[in-house]
Amino acid sequence: MQSNRFQQYLDRYVGIPLCGMLSLFCRRDSGSYTPKKILFIQLSALGDTILAVPTIRAIRHTFPDAEFTMLASPTNLNYLANCPYIDKHISFRMSMYRLLVLLRREKFDWAIDLEHWPRLSALLAYMSGAPVRVGFRTKGQARHFLFTETVPHIQGRHEVRNFLDIATQLESPTQEFTLEVWCGAAARTWVRETLVQAHVSPDIPFVVLHPEAGRRGEPRRRWPQERYVALVDALISRYKVQIILTGAPNEVHVSEGIAARTKHRIVVLAGRTDVNQLAALFFDAALVVSGNCGPMHLAAATGTPVIGLHGPTNTAQWGPWNRDAGIVRAALPCSPCLNLGFEYGCQALSDGTSPCMHTIEVAAVLQECDPFLAPILSAH
């Protein structure tokens, strides 16, 4: 879940006692009936929502007649706008009073909390009034007290599989593990028109680089800018591809800084795409290179080859869920150090990045790119 330090403080030092106190009033419903209305809660960044889709899909197949509602951030709801498994959306961006009134009014049968560390989502599941509440039992987080059904969250195991344990707990078969995106025709059209306006040749493959990685204002997962500059020049010289840089509106300066230092012309679309337009762009790319962040998982969900750069994050747990994927790991013994999203094991450097990200060499990234780009070069 994206949050600042004050929110983290409140979530821990107010949330834990509150969960413990409210657990004294919890009723344990057996959940032996077929639910008519199911609430999913996913307040996290985009990546967690993408990785939870196989679980939502499995539960939908088990309960095809139930009404599925997703409580999430606007970005997550935009990603799910065309998702066939979700019937109703509730934005987390409203006053807490209005949100609680809305949740109570819906009279959900089940509330499924897809978060694995915040207490806030567990409290919302409890306050929804749903008699059956399902969520993760995460070590040291004291959030499971408010659930009627718990699933162990296993550190170091891929999040897709952790999420699927929730479906298994609810007796939903988990035979399909693939990720999905539903970017829509409008996003596809926008990409085609934008590439024409940016003078991107339709006859030359393009590679997308997403330089920023992780939380807003928290660049510890970012690969150093000078490495991206060297990667851009090497990719263009070696494979004759076009390069497009992407990022959120508050990340434009990162891409523009890279573009200003390269020897070749590249296209900067950072700050110009919403999540579905970004997915449509990834669909058309020959390759995507990114640090561990939501767009990396979005690229993996499109099926486009993706290279994930990992320093503080565990590749076994957060690597791209895609058969056509490469991973470049940092070369420090303390890496990975990050488990629950914010508890980094070392101090950031002066540029905000983690020391481990500086151990990833351009040559190692190019080596991972080669299996995907060499065939394109030989075809031309």
Side-chain angles (χ1 to χ4, degrees), residues 1 15 17 22 71 78 90 101 108 113 159-160 163 191 220 222 231 242 250 306 334 339 342-343 352 362:
M1 186 180 78
L22 291 176
L71 167 60
N78 191 15
I90 299 177
V101 169
F108 294 107
D113 181 6
E159 285 301 291
V160 169
F163 282 130
V191 167
R220 296 198 203 194
R222 186 200 302 160
L231 179 64
Q242 302 172 99
N250 63 328
V306 56
C334 58
N339 176 32
F342 61 89
E343 74 296 10
V362 175

Side-chain angles (χ1 to χ4, degrees), residues 236-248:
I236 294 175
S237 298
R238 184 177 301 188
Y239 301 107
K240 314 305 179 186
V241 294
Q242 302 172 99
I243 300 294
I244 297 176
L245 300 181
T246 56

Side-chain angles (χ1 to χ4, degrees), residues 324-365:
D324 290 328
I327 293 173
V328 185
R329 300 175 178 86
L332 283 182
C334 58
S335 175
C337 64
L338 189 63
N339 176 32
L340 296 177
F342 61 89
E343 74 296 10
Y344 292 87
C346 61
Q347 292 294 320
L349 300 175
S350 59
D351 63 355
T353 60
S354 294
C356 56
M357 293 303 294
H358 289 253
T359 68
I360 296 177
E361 299 293 341
V362 175
V365 179

Side-chain angles (χ1 to χ4, degrees), residues 151-180:
V151 174
H153 183 270
I154 302 174
Q155 182 178 349
R157 186 184 188 212
H158 202 283
E159 285 301 291
V160 169
R161 297 192 179 278
N162 276 327
F163 282 130
L164 285 169
D165 282 348
I166 292 178
T168 301
Q169 178 77 14
L170 299 174
E171 300 182 355
S172 298
T174 56
Q175 298 175 345
E176 300 176 47
F177 294 176
T178 56
L179 306 180
E180 294 185 67

